[in-house]
Amino acid sequence: MIDELDLAFDEHAERGRPRHRRGSRGGKKGSGKSGVAFLMAFILLALLGGGVYFGYSKVKDFFVAADYSGEGTDPVQVTIAKNSTLTEIGNTLVDSDVVKSTKAFVNAAGENPRGKNIQSGTYKMRKQMSAKSAVTLLLDPKSRITSGVTITEGQTSMQIFATLSKATNIPVKDFQEAAKKPTELGVADFWFKRRDNKPAATGSIEGFLFPDTYEFDPKLNAAQILEVMVQRFNSVAEELGFVDNVQNNLSVSPYEALIVASLAQAEAGVPKDLPKIARVAYNRAYKANMPLEFDVTANYWLELNGKGAKHSGSLTAAEIDDPKNPYNTKSKRGLPIGPIDNPGHAALQGAMQPAAGNWLYFVAIDKDGNSIFTNDYAQHQKNIAQACRNGVPLC
């Protein structure tokens, strides 16, 4: 009687050919081995199946971005910085536990037709939102809790403090106090160095509060708000290459060039005249060694002392030539002690790259603010007469 076939192969047998063997205990021994083999095969398949499933899960997790579901839980305020990329916005949201992963947010923003229109500002969000819900909320104007604060070119620090106070409900005195130490707000020490051996207004923030539209986090205090504005100034100066260009191409310090930018900003009626007015300031202060005679510096001193600015024709001789005024340009030669306002991009550019010319005088020649320039005093008087005939309010 032939026992059931043993499926093991003899290593000495012909390849592919099973050998037959009789067992002393017949089918019982064969059944036991088959059962063990079946059990082992079952376990192996289970392990293999589990491994495949586990591997699939890991691969799936690798390709599918982690995301929350639903509309979120607890409210949270999130501030999106100006000019943030979608990845940077996603990182900010992850840090606040609004979304689970930056990848999920970027994907959701990419799927939304308006996903690239997310603006800077502070938003009312919720923790653990789906990325899709977060994108939708960021695109909803009602979720924003801040609005832009616009600082215009040529505003003085006192005017800026009043604007900021109105927008933030922070007292003006808080801004005044914070502004007393510019270097603690991000103004580098080198800015207060001069090559003309004159003192600098080291305790003044004037000139370093860059005019722009800002979205301030409502949690910021006065000092932090001013820091944001100084950082913006530093960024613009770096973009222009202001420091290097001034030091390499002009025989003045960056601080002196900043003073000139502020003077040109105050005097110019139209942007195209900024480089020419800057050149007049440089020519009078450094080449002709004569007082600038800019009335705007007298007005700045009045404002610093709590008095209102006046039209040039209304200034008294004592106000124009006040010997106690460190910004006096009527009888004191050279540049004043510091900037008299906060110049914008074009004024900084004009002071960094002044127009070529030997002009020493200029005057607004028409009601549109255009100026006319000359190096001849007699011609200057004729230009003033023409301005008066054109109805310019200076006569």
Side-chain angles (χ1 to χ4, degrees), residues 5 18 42 57 69 75 84 92 96 106 185 231 245 262 275 282-283 322 329 345-346 355 385 390:
L5 204 63
F42 178 81
S57 298
S69 61
S84 293
T92 299
S96 298
V106 172
L185 299 175
Q231 288 172 5
N245 275 300
S262 75
Y282 288 130
N283 287 346
D322 182 353
T329 58
H345 188 282
N390 290 343

Side-chain angles (χ1 to χ4, degrees), residues 152-167:
T152 58
E153 291 89 347
Q155 279 190 298
T156 65
S157 59
M158 293 79 77
Q159 294 166 342
I160 290 174
F161 298 159
T163 300
L164 294 175
S165 179
K166 183 177 180 181

